[in-house]
Amino acid sequence: MIAFLNQKGGAGKTTLATHLAGELAMQGQRVTLLDADPQGSALDWAQRRSQSGHKRLYGVFGLARDSLHQEAPQIALRSDYVVIDGPPRVAALARSALLAADLVLIPVQPSAYDVWASQEMVQLVAEARVFRPQLLAAFVINRRVVGTVIGREARQALADQPFPALRAEVSQRIVFADSVAAGRLACEVAPQCAASREIAALAQAARDMLRESVRESLRESRR
């Protein structure tokens, strides 16, 4: 289970969640997306996709309840990956998503304000690790403006945090806005575009983290 969480609104959680789920599905994985945001943006995207007659890539279900961690495991039995689009500013829902997730990805826009705002999420992850010490966490620099150095500065600002920033970054690109409005993915609107390559790199980074965690667990069990 991979959860996109950030207590700050506007970080791009839904865009990343729908695109990561789509990338995994296109790789042949069985994927479910859980919309844990009361605003229901991922559900709206899925509805637009259905109304436009586009192929269904994965199931999208609304689960904006603080019992998410109790209900999600049953859903996971039918999926290879469950992607959770988390809520902003709803700590109870965020805590429930953290208790369900194997990996939490925290989208951070490359600005000092977003880096500062991420501290609340860092604290929530620390609290969740008391109960689930195996919980993985990483930052994702999102909406980086191409051709600027501000993304590098954001990475430097995140260097002091207790978990890493993924090397895979996602830039601010018009194709994301165009694809969301049509209920599609960037790779469907513009195949082989830079946005598609960035999402593929993000999916690979997430899978690598999860695989390394499994390998580490196996090594520990053999000691």
Side-chain angles (χ1 to χ4, degrees), residues 6 10 22 24-25 30 35 44 53 92 103 107 120 124 128 139-140 148 159 164 180 184 194 206-207:
N6 193 323
L24 293 171
R30 297 173 301 166
D35 191 341
D44 290 340
L103 168 63
E120 187 173 359
L124 289 175
F139 291 100
V140 179
T148 68
V180 168
R184 302 174 72 188
R207 295 181 75 173

Side-chain angles (χ1 to χ4, degrees), residues 60-189:
V60 182
F61 301 95
L63 197 57
R65 299 192 290 268
D66 55 14
S67 58
L68 185 152
H69 62 289
Q70 298 171 325
E71 300 178 55
Q74 187 64 33
I75 296 171
L77 294 176
R78 302 188 295 273
S79 304
D80 298 310
Y81 288 91
V82 175
V83 178
I84 302 171
D85 180 19
R89 309 305 309 172
V90 186
L93 281 176
R95 288 189 178 96
S96 186
L98 285 168
L99 292 174
D102 298 297
L103 168 63
V104 56
L105 297 177
I106 307 170
V108 178
Q109 295 188 77
S111 75
Y113 296 113
D114 282 68
V115 173
W116 296 335
S118 69
Q119 291 306 302
E120 187 173 359
M121 198 65 238
V122 170
Q123 181 58 40
L124 289 175
V125 171
E127 292 174 5
R129 280 179 166 172
V130 172
F131 302 98
R132 301 190 67 240
Q134 74 277 20
L135 175 64
L136 302 173
F139 291 100
V140 179
I141 295 176
N142 188 35
R143 293 179 173 170
R144 177 176 179 173
V145 179
V146 178
T148 68
V149 300
I150 193 169
R152 185 166 65 248
E153 292 173 351
R155 183 173 294 278
Q156 292 170 349
L158 292 169
D160 294 332
Q161 298 299 330
F163 30 82
L166 295 182
R167 293 187 62 83
E169 298 180 358
V170 180
S171 301
Q172 177 83 348
R173 300 186 187 278
I174 295 297
V175 69
F176 284 121
D178 290 344
S179 64
V180 168
R184 302 174 72 188
L185 302 172
C187 63
E188 294 175 309
V189 173

